[in-house]
């Protein structure tokens, strides 16, 4: 066996060790991205989640205009923290639809009265079925959806103020 | 006092290991004759490590809650056997067990190994002590198993209920013994590379260790598979879970090694390849430990996760395996290959065996680590499922099983007789098995169908090496080979039957409901509360019948309080032609209970086959050892005449 051949195991080992070390050092990220990014929104038709709100159908998301779809719940603490960011986006002319997961109209009414209501439509998803169909694994999550109902981007966790320019740019590109 | 004595013994053992390293360097550099001293020190190191482990065992057995490790992993209400098993049901304890077995194995090498040259033995024991030093250093510096708590808490936190199973008492120690057996082979190989004595004597010195390791790994995997089957309540025997793969990879490498060692021992050939396999087999056992301990991959064994220890194990892996591969790269040039062989010969058969096993090993390795690679390169997350492993490794494993039937019929160097004549009967039986599956079960998948065919072929062909010989004069090692190869056919038949004919029924049943599964009718009589020693339980009463008298099964759900956990205890009834497997799930709001029922024809053959493979290995080990004893007695007599 030539020397070059005999060096192969060492090279492979170095590769393996560096790969594993990289994985060990990197903080674990438990977020699982949706497989539906760059695909069409799955079919759903949700009742209105709060008194006076509009229900949400998947066809509403393919109305020709890019939108945000926010997955949230009144019982979710990060969603409260996220509310001002959504309010700011609304002020800048962004249309935001929402799915309220495992919520009640009363609790949701209190949440919207306290934190403001940036939403055009709020669909109720009492058994997380639409949420799971979207490939969302928690609340809050936000999807950027283009005018044809194709998911362009998924934000896992609460949006924060530094996300605003990026979200606006993505909505612009989705036009 | 006990804990302090254990700690002192551990420090002394580490000191002796360092001394062994010094002895090795002096021997290699200055040609001093340190054989006797080295042997004595190795034995002393083994004894001290054993004392340290014994001390920890006592602390657990006596529930000494002032020892932090005992407090964190035990509870005075636990049954005694789980108190003892708790010793190695945690990180520090399992590392201490690792190093103890390593040191005791070193002592055994020092006491009994007479096959290699004295310098190679010194180098091998030195290498073994370097392996041990890494673990001593970690235990003593970073995670002292004997650390005390003051004041002593009144009672401990308990052990994960999933681990409160007789399986745990034996599963990890068995695998560790297997891993350590491979480490002895590794040390011997490194020693021989250092002293340039890679020859058939080395292969014969390594063979008992590799055989023993292989037997234990086979037992460990078989037992682990059965444990997952009945304890997790998922009804499968193999999930291609990363941690299962982690135990399969060293086994595959050890299997290849076992066969290439035979070529090296008998013919002096395949030197470089065998040396590389030794290093790979050992590194796979470290990769296995690493994958289990680091939690780097998501797995059912997630109870063992600890990234910090992962980093440490990875560093040791890099140092040990890196050093061995470097040594191999530097010294490999001087490895002269032995006697040549013809294309049709037992050597060629064993080379093909090695190639196929290596490819399967590569496939399992890639599939296990592929999610990591993809995430590193593109950030995408995915998991590799059973379908990949079955589709890619399955056909290769079947091909290998066919060759297992043919290989042992070939003779060394060159096969002069045509072998097809002897294979007529196996081929005929295989063809009729194939025809039978087509007639009786036309709809089954192609892999199980081929599985039945190959199993019939191998079951017959594996017995052929015995035909026409006097059974009393056949060496034990040959019996071992035949039994192990026959075991492969048995396990293969079980896997094929399980894949082709398993019937599953998942339903919600109210008391009085009758469910059908395969030939069985199962009636839910009721669900009642029950109490165990350290848990409360719900127990279902099921009456099952298939035309004969009804039998009763009692699957349970256990609720543990320390720590709060829920486990499903399946109820399984074994018959000659299969197993009825029942699991009680949750209640639903309408007063019904989730029931999961399986009828699994001939599934027990899988573990029966695994046990036969291990028994075959044990027979071969006994044969080699006794023959060696006889031969070395003769050598001694000649020397002292």
């Amino acid at each position: 066996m030539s020397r070059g051949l005999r060096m192969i195991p060492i090279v492979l080992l170095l590769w393996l060790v560096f790969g594993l070390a990289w994985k060990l050092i990197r903080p674990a990220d438990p977020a699982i991205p949706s497989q539906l990014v760059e695909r069409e929104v799955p079919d759903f038709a949700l009742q209105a989640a709060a008194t006076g709100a509009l229900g949400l159908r998947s066809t509403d998301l393919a109305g020709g205009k890019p939108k945000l779809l926010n997955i949230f719940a009144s019982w979710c603490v990060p969603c409260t923290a996220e509310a001002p960011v959504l309010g700011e986006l609304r002020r800048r002319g962004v249309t935001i639809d929402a799915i309220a997961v495992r919520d009640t109209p009363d609790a949701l009414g209190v949440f919207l009265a306290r934190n403001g209501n940036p939403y055009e439509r709020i669909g109720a998803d009492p058994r997380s079925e639409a949420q799971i169909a979207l490939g969302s694994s928690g609340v809050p999550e936000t999807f950027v959806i283009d005018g044809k109902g194709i998911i362009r981007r998924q934000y896992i966790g609460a949006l924060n103020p530094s996300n605003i320019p990026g979200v606006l740019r993505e909505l612009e590109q989705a036009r | 006092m006990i804990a302090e004595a254990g700690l002192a013994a551990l420090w002394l053992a580490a000191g002796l290991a360092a001394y062994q390293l010094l002895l090795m360097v002096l021997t290699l550099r200055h040609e001093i004759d340190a054989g006797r001293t080295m042997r004595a020190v190795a034995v002393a190191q083994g004894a001290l490590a054993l004392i340290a482990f014994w001390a920890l065992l006592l602390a657990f057995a006596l529930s000494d809650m002032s020892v932090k490790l005992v407090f964190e992993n035990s509870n005075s209400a636990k049954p005694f056997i789980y108190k003892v098993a708790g010793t190695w049901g945690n990180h520090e304890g399992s590392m201490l067990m690792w190093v103890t077995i390593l040191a005791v194995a070193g002592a055994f090498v020092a006491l009994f190994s007479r096959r290699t040259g004295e310098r190679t033995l010194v180098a091998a024991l030195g290498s073994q002590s370097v392996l041990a030093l890494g673990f001593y250093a970690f235990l003593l510096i970073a995670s002292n198993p004997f650390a005390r708590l003051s004041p002593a808490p009144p009672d401990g936190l308990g052990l994960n209920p999933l681990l409160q199973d007789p399986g745990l008492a034996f599963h990890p120690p068995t695998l560790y013994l297997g891993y350590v057996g491979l480490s002895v082979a590794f040390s011997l190989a490194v020693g021989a590379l250092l002293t340039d004595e890679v020859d058939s004597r080395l292969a014969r010195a390594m063979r008992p260790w590799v055989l023993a390791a292989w037997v234990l790994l086979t037992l460990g995997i078989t037992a682990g598979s059965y444990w997952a089957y009945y304890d997790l309540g998922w009804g499968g025997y193999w999930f291609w879970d990363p941690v299962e793969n982690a135990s399969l990879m060293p086994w595959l490498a050890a299997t290849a090694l076992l066969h290439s060692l035979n070529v090296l021992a008998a013919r002096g050939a395949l030197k470089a390849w065998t040396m590389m396999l030794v290093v790979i087999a050992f590194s796979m056992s470290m990769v296995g430990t690493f994958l289990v301990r680091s939690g780097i991959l998501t797995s059912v064994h997630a109870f063992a996760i600890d990234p910090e220890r992962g980093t440490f194990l990875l560093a040791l892996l890099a140092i040990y395996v890196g050093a061995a591969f470097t040594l191999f790269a530097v010294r490999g040039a001087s490895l002269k290959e032995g006697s040549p062989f013809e294309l049709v010969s037992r050597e060629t058969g064993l080379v093909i065996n090695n190639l196929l096993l290596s490819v399967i090993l590569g496939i399992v390795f890639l599939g296990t680590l592929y999610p990591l690679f993809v995430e590193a390169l593109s950030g995408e997350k995915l998991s590799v499922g059973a379908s990949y492993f079955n589709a890619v490794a399955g056909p290769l494993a079947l091909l290998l099983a066919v060759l297992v039937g043919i290989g042992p019929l070939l003779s060394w160097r060159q096969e002069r007789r045509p072998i097809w004549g002897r294979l007529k009967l196996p081929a005929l039986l295989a063809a009729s098995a194939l025809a039978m599956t087509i007639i009786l079960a036309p709809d089954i998948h192609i892999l199980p169908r081929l599985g039945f065919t190959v199993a019939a072929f191998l079951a017959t062909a594996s017995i052929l090496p015995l035909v026409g010989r006097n059974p009393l004069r056949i060496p034990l090692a040959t019996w071992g080979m035949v039994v192990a190869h026959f075991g492969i056919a048995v396990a293969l038949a079980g896997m094929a039957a399980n894949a082709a004919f398993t019937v599953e029924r998942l339903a919600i049943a109210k008391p009085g409901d009758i469910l059908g599964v395969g030939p069985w009718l199962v009636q839910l009589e009721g669900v009642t509360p029950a109490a165990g020693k350290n848990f409360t339980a719900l127990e279902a009463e099921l009456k099952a019948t298939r035309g004969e008298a009804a039998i009763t099964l009692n699957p349970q759900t256990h609720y543990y309080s320390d720590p709060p956990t829920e486990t499903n205890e399946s109820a399984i009834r074994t018959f000659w032609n299969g197993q009825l497997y029942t699991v009680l799930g949750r209640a639903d709001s309408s007063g019904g209970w989730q029931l999961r029922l399986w009828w699994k024809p001939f599934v027990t053959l899988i573990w029966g086959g695994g046990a036969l493979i291990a028994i075959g290995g044990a027979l071969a080990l006994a044969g080699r050892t006794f023959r060696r004893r006889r031969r070395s007695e003769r050598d001694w007599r000649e020397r002292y005449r």
Side-chain angles (χ1 to χ4, degrees):
Chain A
M1 239 201 278
S2 76
R3 171 158 290 199
L5 267 176
R6 279 182 277 117
M7 295 301 283
I8 292 176
I10 301 180
V11 176
L12 287 178
L13 175 74
L14 282 178
W15 241 63
L16 179 70
V17 167
F18 279 117
L20 293 176
W22 168 84
K23 172 78 184 172
L24 269 181
I25 291 162
R26 234 179 38 122
D29 174 16
I32 300 165
S34 171
Q35 296 293 313
L36 292 182
V37 174
E38 301 299 331
R39 300 228 194 129
E40 214 168 305
V41 173
D43 277 342
F44 56 79
L46 305 177
Q47 307 267 314
T51 37
L54 297 168
L56 182 69
R57 294 170 162 277
S58 43
T59 46
D60 296 329
L61 298 167
K65 196 175 148 206
K67 285 180 178 180
L68 289 185
L69 174 62
N70 184 232
I71 317 277
F72 80 113
S74 66
W75 44 263
C76 140
V77 178
C79 299
T80 314
E82 188 188 41
V85 180
L86 293 175
E88 175 62 25
L89 284 165
R90 177 84 203 97
R91 267 190 292 287
R92 299 206 192 181
V94 177
T95 312
I96 308 173
D97 287 341
I99 293 178
V101 177
R102 294 177 183 265
D103 225 325
T104 62
D106 294 344
L108 202 56
V110 173
F111 178 88
L112 294 175
R114 187 175 295 161
N115 300 303
N117 182 357
Y119 304 118
E120 191 165 285
R121 295 168 173 276
I122 309 176
D125 189 11
R127 302 183 63 174
S128 297
E129 283 157 345
Q131 183 191 22
I132 289 168
L134 278 160
S136 152
S137 50
V139 279
E141 285 190 16
T142 306
F143 292 92
V144 177
I145 296 168
D146 72 5
K148 296 183 197 114
I150 310 274
I151 296 173
R152 288 299 184 85
R153 172 80 199 256
Q154 178 192 24
Y155 286 90
I156 295 171
L159 292 175
N160 57 54
S162 67
N163 289 126
I164 291 177
V167 170
L168 291 174
R169 195 167 53 244
E170 278 152 14
L171 284 166
E172 192 57 38
Q173 283 164 357
R175 205 167 278 281
Chain B
M1 249 334 272
I2 300 171
E4 282 68 30
L7 188 61
L10 204 58
W11 273 107
L12 283 175
L16 288 184
Y19 181 50
Q20 279 179 278
L21 174 60
L22 182 72
L23 277 179
M24 169 174 82
V25 174
L26 288 177
T27 305
L28 292 176
R29 276 284 161 85
H30 304 295
E31 305 281 329
I32 65 161
D33 181 18
R36 271 169 181 275
T37 324
M38 186 60 131
R39 283 183 198 258
V41 175
V43 172
Q45 196 222 118
L48 284 167
L50 208 56
I51 291 173
F53 184 71
W54 184 247
L56 190 63
L57 202 70
L58 271 182
F60 268 91
L62 302 174
S63 294
D64 181 354
M65 293 304 163
S66 71
V67 176
K68 185 160 165 264
L69 195 65
V70 181
F71 162 72
E72 281 169 354
N73 296 286
S74 192
N75 184 295
S76 58
K78 263 194 330 188
F80 183 73
I81 180 173
Y82 301 131
K83 283 185 189 170
V84 174
T87 314
W88 54 83
N90 60 78
H91 296 286
E92 286 83 356
S94 71
M95 290 237 181
L96 183 58
M97 182 181 218
W98 225 107
V99 78
T100 304
I101 299 175
L102 198 71
V104 170
F108 269 85
V109 173
L111 285 173
F112 299 114
S113 190
R114 309 242 176 270
R115 303 205 138 192
T116 59
E118 199 68 5
R119 284 187 78 226
T120 302
L121 183 87
V122 169
L125 285 174
S127 318
Q128 186 85 354
S129 73
V130 174
L131 294 183
L133 261 182
F135 288 93
Y136 286 135
F138 184 68
L139 282 168
L140 291 170
I141 297 164
S143 59
N144 175 11
F146 298 107
R148 291 273 194 188
L149 281 177
S150 181
D155 206 346
L157 299 175
L159 175 74
N160 183 342
L162 262 185
L163 302 181
Q164 296 190 17
D165 183 281
L168 173 76
F170 306 106
H171 176 56
T174 316
L175 280 179
Y176 279 4
L177 278 167
Y179 288 170
V180 171
L182 290 180
S183 84
V184 174
F186 175 81
S187 300
L188 282 166
V190 169
L193 279 171
L194 281 171
T195 56
D196 254 335
E197 289 183 355
V198 178
D199 51 22
S200 53
R201 279 190 309 164
L202 172 74
R204 289 197 203 104
M206 275 160 62
R207 191 155 54 188
W209 291 101
V210 177
L211 254 173
W214 183 81
V215 168
L216 291 164
L217 286 176
T218 310
L219 278 179
I221 292 173
T222 309
S225 154
Y226 194 70
W227 172 77
Y229 173 79
Y230 81 85
D231 205 46
L232 291 179
W234 299 348
Y237 63 95
W238 196 261
F239 299 98
W240 295 107
D241 177 88
V243 168
E244 290 178 334
N245 293 349
S247 70
L248 182 65
M249 290 190 285
W251 185 85
L252 287 168
T255 312
L257 178 59
L258 200 60
H259 291 85
S260 83
L261 271 182
N262 282 338
V263 179
L264 181 55
R267 311 285 309 157
L270 301 185
K271 281 181 188 168
W273 171 249
T274 307
M275 289 302 104
M276 202 164 91
L277 263 184
V278 178
V279 181
I280 289 177
F282 173 71
S283 54
M284 282 304 152
S285 70
M286 282 210 69
V287 167
T289 317
F290 170 76
L291 288 181
V292 180
R293 288 286 158 198
S294 69
I296 203 165
L297 294 163
T298 318
S299 142
V300 292
H301 286 66
F303 45 76
I305 286 179
D306 188 334
E308 222 170 282
R309 272 139 197 145
T311 317
F312 161 75
L313 278 173
L314 186 63
L316 281 190
L317 171 84
I319 295 169
Y320 294 157
V321 181
F325 274 144
T326 312
L327 185 65
F328 176 73
V330 175
R331 288 294 168 87
S334 60
L335 295 177
K336 298 275 179 301
E337 287 304 335
S339 333
F341 48 85
E342 298 296 316
L343 188 60
V344 183
S345 63
R346 187 176 287 187
E347 284 96 323
T348 310
L350 289 170
V351 166
I352 296 175
N353 150 304
N354 267 239
L355 279 177
L356 281 172
L357 280 168
S358 306
V359 173
I360 295 174
L361 173 61
I363 287 168
V364 176
F365 186 75
L366 258 183
T368 309
L369 293 177
Y370 187 69
L372 286 184
F373 284 121
V374 171
E375 206 191 329
L377 294 177
S378 69
E380 207 177 320
K381 292 193 180 185
L382 51 79
S383 66
V384 176
S387 49
Y388 158 82
F389 292 105
N390 289 339
V392 186
L396 284 175
L398 282 177
L399 178 62
L400 181 60
V402 172
L403 295 174
V404 166
I406 302 171
L409 303 175
L410 302 171
S411 46
W412 289 113
R413 211 157 80 82
Q414 187 182 8
E415 178 60 57
R416 293 172 193 285
R417 300 166 297 171
I419 55 165
W420 304 118
R422 278 173 287 164
L423 287 173
K424 262 185 208 145
L425 182 66
L428 195 70
L429 281 173
S432 41
L434 181 62
M436 258 169 65
T437 63
I438 291 174
I439 296 164
L440 296 178
D443 304 322
I444 61 175
H445 190 263
I446 179 80
L447 268 184
R449 192 188 300 289
L450 287 176
F452 284 121
T453 313
V454 173
F457 173 82
L458 180 55
T460 340
S462 63
I463 299 172
L464 289 180
L466 301 179
V467 172
R469 295 167 75 172
N470 176 352
L472 295 175
R473 305 205 57 181
I474 296 173
L476 259 185
T478 307
W479 278 106
M481 176 193 76
V482 168
V483 171
H485 287 173
F486 185 76
I488 296 175
V490 172
L492 191 57
M495 291 175 199
N498 181 57
F501 302 126
T502 295
V503 195
E504 179 179 1
R505 183 80 191 268
L506 176 63
I508 296 203
K510 294 193 172 132
D513 285 358
I514 296 180
L515 304 168
V517 54
W520 291 90
L521 288 176
V522 180
Q523 180 169 27
L524 176 63
E525 302 270 299
V527 178
T528 48
K533 188 164 181 198
N534 55 347
F535 58 83
T536 55
L538 282 174
E539 183 179 279
E541 189 174 339
L542 302 173
K543 286 253 185 295
T545 174
R546 51 172 175 183
E548 316 138 31
I551 53 161
T552 310
L553 293 107
N554 300 101
Q556 296 183 333
T557 309
H558 287 186
Y559 303 92
Y560 292 83
S561 51
D562 279 336
T565 325
E566 183 187 323
T567 63
N568 290 321
E569 305 293 314
S570 54
I572 302 173
R573 196 58 72 83
T574 308
F575 302 90
W576 68 270
N577 60 349
Q579 277 189 335
L580 184 62
Y581 186 120
T582 60
V583 179
L584 172 68
R586 292 164 180 279
D588 83 342
S589 49
S590 63
W593 296 86
Q594 278 179 12
L595 280 183
R596 223 173 166 157
L597 312 171
W598 279 279
W599 170 241
K600 294 171 161 292
F602 298 105
V603 67
T604 37
L605 290 183
I606 296 173
W607 306 290
L612 277 178
I613 297 172
I615 290 170
L619 282 177
L621 180 61
R624 301 272 183 223
T625 316
F626 287 135
R627 208 160 59 167
R628 187 176 62 165
R629 184 74 50 77
R630 237 180 287 150
R631 196 176 295 165
S632 60
E633 265 166 29
R634 202 168 56 216
D635 291 348
W636 278 90
R637 247 177 254 136
E638 271 163 24
R639 205 180 296 172
Y640 292 106
R641 198 153 33 192

